[in-house]
Amino acid sequence: DTGVSQDPRHKITKRGQNVTFRCDPISEHNRLYWYRQTLGQGPEFLTYFQNEAQLEKSRLLSDRFSAERPKGSFSTLEIQRTEQGDSAMYLCASRPSDRNILSTDTQYFGPGTRLTVL
Amino acid sequence: QQPVQSPQAVILREGEDAVINCSSSKALYSVHWYRQKHGEAPVFLMILLKGGEQKGHDKISASFNEKKQQSSLYLTASQLSYSGTYFCGTRSGGTSYGKLTFGQGTILTVHP
């Protein structure tokens, strides 16, 4: 399977702990997005990487959140000092970089990491 | 600003048709439709670029009215597998880096 993968699929943590999620995009997709989805809502944009550069961050991404994409391949999203309000599904999506406009605009989502903060 | 989807929920019998609408207050560059089943990732259905194109995918098609900033998803002869939550994601003209803004979703339930 060559789709977007995320790890772990589920994470339960206690308030105040730090958590880290990993996303492996589709091979050769140089664009990567993180979204957050709460129950009954659509995904909300968190941050965007083009290769290893983080080019855009949402206001939703407080200073407790940090994301990296070393070497432009996999990405990690870390949440420090988790709060109950951080409980959500964290989705990663990747997008290709070829010249076909329809292909380059399509984002493919991973299965997500469901975070529960107790 | 988040696009508005309507209706919020639809219940169908197998074989019936449905239309899901997505409306934005911003000028749109593209509209993306996804279907998400409970506990799973959103699955890409189709993308529509500005220009009023209508795309088709088996018995699922969509239209995009650029002037009204509206898109509609048409599901014909629904199948049980169509059940799920449908999201439209919009990309506004001039928005950097292609981030999508999603609607709140439309829950579609297809009964035998």
Side-chain angles (χ1 to χ4, degrees), chain A residues 9 31 33 35 37 39-45 48 50 55-56 89 91 95 101-102 104-112 114, chain B residues 2 29-30 32 34 36 38-44 47-49 53 55 87 91 95-105:
Chain A
R9 294 291 307 276
R31 303 172 194 184
Y33 301 80
Y35 291 84
Q37 186 178 26
L39 200 61
Q41 298 297 318
E44 295 175 289
F45 170 77
Y48 166 72
Q50 185 163 317
L55 298 183
E56 189 170 0
M89 174 79 86
L91 293 163
R95 186 177 148 211
I101 189 65
L102 288 177
T104 58
D105 215 39
T106 301
Q107 295 182 28
Y108 297 92
F109 282 85
R114 181 166 294 285
Chain B
Q2 185 181 35
Y29 173 77
S30 60
H32 307 232
Y34 289 83
Q36 186 177 32
H38 183 69
E40 299 180 8
V43 174
F44 171 74
I47 179 176
L48 300 106
L49 301 180
E53 295 181 77
K55 298 293 184 184
F87 292 100
R91 179 181 174 184
T95 298
S96 58
Y97 310 126
K99 69 183 178 189
L100 297 178
T101 304
F102 286 90
Q104 80 280 18

